[in-house]
Amino acid sequence: MRYGIFFNPNAGDGDAEELAKKMREKFEQAGHSADFLTAPDQAIEEVKSALDDHDGIVAIGGDGSLNIVGTAFVQSGKSLPLGIIPGGTINNFAKRWHLPMDEEAAMDVIIAGHQRKVGIAACQDRQKAVISSFTFGSFADISNEVRQSEKRKFGLIVYPLKALKQIGKDTSYPVEITADDYHEKLKVWFALSTTTHSIGGREYVDTDYDALHVSILHNMRFRKLLQLIRFVFTGRLKDSDAMTYLETSKLELKPLTDKKIYSRIDGDKGPALPLTVEFLADFVPLYVPEEDGKN
């Protein structure tokens, strides 16, 4: 079998390239071959071009790197078995599917070959993947204030902690929101949509329903600060009048203002609204530990 190994050769101190070499050695020892996919400026096209003549893809990095591979998948309308060697600062997707954070152990999972099909999402008419998270509003706007060192130390929780400082400021956006059996116009303070029911390995809703999990904080006032603090530290605000929670296969977002409302996808700046986010159930065959695998 022939595999493609995707990584950014300019990331870190060359660690990704060293990991790619180790992964290739393991493939060769198992009787397979592997090619490096490393075009930084044309990464999506590089992965897309590899889909027809490879049997699987390995991605080295965090959710941002996975998004490049996922975007190649959704643009092509097909996917290959995906192996993940976690890296970077945010690895929500890998943690959700119980993939080892240890690099050698992650490689062994890939070599073992056990798979299960998992869902990701797509937006912008399936031109952009959403691997783990999609946000907009103050939650996304303040993200540029977060340092890489803070993300490494605190993970995704650092964003709502920063967002606490925005309470009382005029930072809500009027948005028309349409989902399965839901249609409403809200003043959104921030919205978070995830492809799984956990963030950073921590479950924040009670159900693992195979859909988009959407939490929308709206009509925020200073008096609701305690409710927001509860959300920050428990992830649970489903009974609050400041929170709307949805499970949906499709989320349509239409701005009701002339001001640009930019999204943030898998830790990076995304396109502006209006947008439609679709959940693609069972779209990616993922290499997982044997106890989670479904051949």
Side-chain angles (χ1 to χ4, degrees), residues 27-223:
F27 276 135
E28 290 173 349
Q29 291 169 3
H32 309 307
S33 62
D35 305 307
F36 291 164
L37 310 175
T38 59
D41 297 328
Q42 297 181 350
I44 294 172
E45 293 302 319
E46 176 93 347
V47 176
K48 285 169 65 175
S49 67
L51 296 182
D52 288 335
D53 49 11
H54 288 78
D55 300 293
I57 299 289
V58 174
I60 300 174
D63 288 347
S65 295
L66 287 178
N67 187 280
I68 292 172
V69 176
T71 295
F73 285 173
V74 299
Q75 287 186 6
S76 300
K78 64 179 181 179
S79 63
L80 294 180
L82 175 64
I84 299 175
I85 303 175
T89 55
I90 300 178
N91 295 278
N92 292 322
F93 191 75
K95 289 177 180 178
R96 163 60 188 94
W97 297 112
H98 311 296
L99 304 185
M101 294 297 106
D102 177 79
E103 295 152 353
E104 289 285 343
M107 294 181 195
D108 290 341
V109 166
I110 295 168
I111 293 297
H114 301 286
Q115 301 174 26
R116 70 173 298 168
K117 291 185 177 180
V118 303
I120 63 173
C123 68
Q124 212 177 12
D125 294 325
R126 300 200 178 189
Q127 292 303 300
K128 177 71 173 175
V130 179
I131 293 293
S132 175
S133 65
F134 170 95
T135 70
F136 71 91
S138 291
F139 188 71
D141 294 344
I142 57 91
S143 294
N144 288 334
E145 299 177 10
V146 178
R147 299 185 181 92
Q148 289 291 326
S149 59
E150 292 176 309
K151 286 198 289 185
R152 292 191 197 97
K153 185 175 181 180
F154 300 109
L156 198 60
I157 197 68
V158 72
Y159 292 107
L161 288 173
K162 290 273 187 177
L164 286 172
K165 299 178 181 179
Q166 300 295 322
I167 291 289
K169 297 182 180 180
D170 186 19
T171 52
S172 294
Y173 295 111
V175 178
E176 183 175 358
I177 300 171
T178 304
D180 298 345
D181 303 318
Y182 181 87
H183 182 213
E184 193 63 73
K185 296 177 181 178
L186 299 174
K187 289 192 69 177
V188 178
W189 192 63
F190 81 76
L192 168 65
S193 178
T194 63
T195 59
T196 71
H197 71 311
S198 65
I199 299 176
R202 188 176 77 177
E203 296 181 6
Y204 75 102
V205 292
D206 296 326
T207 174
D208 191 14
Y209 186 67
D210 202 20
L212 291 171
H213 297 265
V214 185
S215 299
I216 306 168
L217 273 172
H218 53 87
N219 302 320
M220 293 303 298
R221 298 291 186 273
F222 188 77
R223 66 179 174 82

Side-chain angles (χ1 to χ4, degrees), residues 121-122 125-126 177-182 193 210-214 246-253 275-280:
D125 294 325
R126 300 200 178 189
I177 300 171
T178 304
D180 298 345
D181 303 318
Y182 181 87
S193 178
D210 202 20
L212 291 171
H213 297 265
V214 185
L246 306 168
E247 291 174 348
T248 182
S249 60
K250 181 179 288 188
L251 183 67
E252 297 180 39
L253 305 167
L275 284 172
T276 297
V277 186
E278 306 172 69
F279 186 75
L280 308 177

